[in-house]
């Protein structure tokens, strides 16, 4: 393996070689000019001798020493130029070597995971571009590390929320099953009441597990879709009937306002139902007791806009900017006993994005919240 040289040594050798070549060329040019001057100009030799004698003195030159003095002066001048160039080159290469040492230190810190340092800027364009490139890498790695830390914290929060939300229905199921086993539910009516409660609690647990499964697929980018042409009117009518029963069971009223006609979208029916289930569930969860939930659809700019409205407590403007973030729950939800992992709307946004649609919320505190879903309609010429 050939021995490697330093950048400074290579630079100095290049400079010295360049100066040596310049010296030889300079001497050749000086001699050639002097010879041409002596031959072409009348009394040229005497003029040169008088000029040099004026500078160095006749006693030093002698009658025929002019050429030697000029050559020695040229050599001295070239050596002075060489010395100055070497000093300047040494100073410059020292700056470059210091910058390279700084870059190496930064690279070592990046490799070891130490990201809290500052990369200096340099007046030289090439060095500054390299410094900025390293700084960009550092900032990107720091952002990635922060995102990983946040994701780790979110996973811990998810496990805590899931443990808390599962504990409540499990405890209730256990208590009611023990009540049936111990004969507390002595009548068929009471047994049926206990079984209905157990069933409702298992539905809550199933929803939590489904949220976890959906989020895992969403986080890993493995959520599977089965897109088909869906005629939205009968699809929404079926959902409205289902939601009306569920909302009335919660002591609230439900009103659906669906348009007439044919509206076809390309969608995964199950995933789209998952979105609307979540929006209606949130409206029930955060709606005003005994309040009303309104479910509607209308055509708008080549698409179908679905809307779920409640007249509940609403969401603050600060929280409204974060409702689609994973694990986010508004302060009103945290301070209450309302269950939830904070994953629902994040998953809804992922599903709607995959349908090339949009989802957004508007809300006023004390007035209620409106959730909108926009889905592009399938063009007639694209129908199969």
């Amino acid at each position: 393996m050939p021995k490697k040289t330093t950048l400074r040594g290579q630079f100095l050798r290049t400079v010295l070689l360049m100066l040596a070549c310049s010296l030889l060329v300079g001497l050749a040019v000086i001699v050639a000019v002097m010879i041409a001057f002596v031959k072409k100009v009348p009394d040229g030799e005497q003029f040169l001798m008088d000029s040099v004698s004026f500078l160095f003195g006749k006693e030093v030159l002698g009658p025929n020493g002019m050429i030697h003095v000029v050559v020695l002066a040229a050599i001295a001048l070239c050596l002075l130029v060489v010395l100055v160039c070497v000093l300047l080159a040494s100073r410059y290469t020292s700056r470059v070597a210091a910058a390279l040492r700084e870059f190496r230190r930064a690279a070592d810190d990046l490799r070891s995971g130490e990201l809290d340092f500052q990369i200096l800027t340099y007046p030289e364009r090439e060095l500054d571009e390299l410094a900025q490139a390293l700084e960009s890498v550092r900032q990107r790695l720091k952002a990635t590390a922060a995102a990983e830390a946040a994701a780790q914290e979110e996973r811990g929060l998810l496990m805590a929320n899931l443990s808390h939300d599962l504990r409540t229905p499990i405890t209730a199921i256990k208590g009611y099953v023990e009540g049936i086993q111990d004969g507390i539910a002595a009548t068929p009516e009471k047994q049926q009441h206990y079984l209905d409660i157990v069933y409702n609690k298992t539905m809550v647990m199933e929803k939590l597990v489904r949220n976890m499964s959906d989020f895992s697929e969403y986080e890993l980018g493995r959520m599977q879709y089965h897109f088909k042409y869906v005629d939205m009117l009968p699809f929404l009518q079926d959902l409205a009937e289902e939601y009306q029963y569920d909302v009335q069971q919660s002591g609230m009223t439900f009103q659906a306002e669906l348009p007439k006609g044919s509206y076809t979208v390309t969608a995964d029916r199950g995933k789209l139902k998952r979105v609307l289930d979540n929006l209606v569930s949130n409206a029930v969860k955060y709606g005003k007791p005994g309040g009303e939930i309104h479910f509607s659809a209308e055509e708008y700019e080549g698409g179908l806009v679905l809307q779920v409205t409640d007249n509940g407590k609403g969401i603050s403007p600060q929280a409204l900017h974060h409702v689609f973030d994973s694990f986010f729950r508004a302060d009103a939800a945290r301070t209450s006993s309302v269950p939830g992992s904070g994953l629902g709307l994040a998953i809804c946004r992922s599903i709607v994005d995959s349908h090339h649609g949009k989802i957004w919320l508007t809300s006023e505190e004390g007035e209620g919240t409106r959730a909108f879903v926009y889905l592009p309609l399938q063009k007639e010429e694209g129908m199969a």
Side-chain angles (χ1 to χ4, degrees):
M1 183 177 181
K3 183 179 180 180
K4 294 184 179 181
T5 59
T6 63
L7 180 63
R8 182 176 183 179
Q10 184 68 26
F11 186 79
L12 287 176
R13 280 197 293 272
T14 303
V15 170
L16 290 176
L17 180 60
M18 178 185 66
L19 292 175
C21 294
S22 300
L23 178 60
L24 294 176
V25 173
L27 288 175
V29 170
I30 290 173
V31 172
V33 170
M34 289 176 63
I35 294 173
F37 185 80
V38 170
K39 289 183 177 182
K40 299 293 184 181
V41 178
D43 299 326
E45 182 177 357
Q46 186 62 39
F47 175 78
L48 290 176
M49 290 180 64
D50 292 342
S51 300
V52 176
S53 298
F54 176 77
L55 295 174
F56 294 94
K58 292 183 179 181
E59 65 280 2
V60 177
L61 284 176
N64 299 315
M66 182 268 296
I67 299 296
H68 300 288
V69 172
V70 173
V71 171
L72 290 176
I75 293 174
L77 180 62
C78 292
L79 290 177
L80 180 61
V81 172
V82 169
L83 179 61
V84 172
C85 289
V86 168
L87 291 177
L88 292 176
S90 177
R91 182 172 179 271
Y92 179 74
T93 54
S94 296
R95 285 175 51 81
V96 174
L100 293 177
R101 286 194 296 270
E102 179 70 16
F103 293 151
R104 181 177 179 179
R105 180 193 63 79
D108 290 339
D109 288 341
L110 292 176
R111 183 169 56 249
S112 63
E114 177 58 47
L115 303 176
D116 293 323
F117 63 89
Q118 184 178 7
I119 298 178
L120 302 177
T121 58
Y122 297 90
E124 295 82 6
R125 185 180 64 184
E126 292 80 0
L127 294 178
D128 192 61
E129 288 176 351
L130 180 57
Q132 293 304 316
L134 284 174
E135 176 65 14
S136 177
V137 171
R138 184 190 72 84
Q139 292 180 359
R140 189 178 298 111
L141 289 176
K142 191 171 183 179
T144 300
E148 290 179 354
Q152 185 65 31
E153 182 179 358
E154 287 177 349
R155 292 186 185 95
L157 180 62
L158 172 63
M159 294 304 297
N161 287 340
L162 184 63
S163 176
H164 175 270
D165 292 340
L166 284 175
R167 187 181 299 115
T168 301
I170 288 176
T171 301
I173 290 173
K174 181 180 178 182
Y176 284 107
V177 170
E178 288 177 348
I180 295 175
Q181 290 177 336
D182 295 339
I184 297 176
T187 64
E189 292 79 9
K190 198 168 187 179
Q191 289 179 359
Q192 185 61 45
H193 176 67
Y194 276 28
L195 290 175
D196 289 340
I197 294 176
V198 169
Y199 175 78
N200 290 333
K201 298 300 181 182
T202 57
M203 294 298 293
V204 173
M205 293 176 61
E206 181 184 16
K207 183 177 180 181
L208 290 171
V209 173
R210 188 171 66 247
N211 275 348
M212 276 297 302
S213 177
D214 289 346
F215 180 74
S216 297
E217 293 179 356
Y218 156 72
E219 190 177 40
L220 296 174
R222 298 177 180 176
M223 187 170 286
Q224 301 295 318
Y225 292 92
H226 302 284
F227 290 104
K228 296 181 179 179
Y229 293 123
V230 178
D231 188 352
M232 291 298 292
L233 186 57
F235 175 72
L236 294 176
Q237 288 173 342
D238 291 342
L239 290 181
E241 293 179 4
E242 179 182 334
Y243 295 151
Q244 183 172 12
Y245 173 78
D246 294 338
V247 170
Q248 289 175 349
Q249 291 294 108
S250 302
M252 305 173 72
T253 59
F254 180 83
Q255 181 181 359
E257 186 177 347
L258 301 177
K260 297 180 180 180
S262 178
Y263 302 93
T264 303
V265 303
T266 303
D268 182 318
R269 296 174 65 96
K271 292 295 191 299
L272 189 55
K273 182 179 183 300
R274 172 79 174 84
V275 172
L276 296 175
D277 286 352
N278 183 270
L279 297 180
V280 173
S281 175
N282 285 343
V284 172
K285 196 182 300 182
Y286 303 119
K288 185 183 299 183
E292 180 181 282
I293 294 176
H294 187 262
F295 179 59
S296 65
E298 64 176 335
E299 186 177 357
Y300 179 76
E301 293 189 354
L304 191 66
V305 178
L306 312 178
Q307 180 177 335
V308 178
T309 305
D310 66 66
N311 58 350
K313 61 189 70 176
I315 306 172
S316 68
Q318 295 81 8
L320 195 60
H321 294 293
H322 301 282
V323 291
F324 292 103
D325 295 344
S326 300
F327 305 100
F328 179 81
R329 299 178 69 185
D331 292 338
R334 288 194 189 100
T335 56
S336 69
S337 59
V338 177
S341 59
L343 296 175
L345 288 178
I347 297 172
C348 287
R349 181 176 61 179
S350 175
I351 294 173
V352 174
D353 288 346
S354 298
H355 285 71
H356 304 289
K358 297 179 182 179
I359 181 171
W360 68 96
L361 268 64
T362 61
S363 184
E364 294 184 15
E365 291 186 278
E367 298 293 331
T369 301
R370 292 183 177 184
F372 299 88
V373 176
Y374 172 87
L375 297 171
L377 290 172
Q378 181 65 41
K379 297 181 180 180
E380 292 295 332
E381 59 268 21
M383 294 292 294

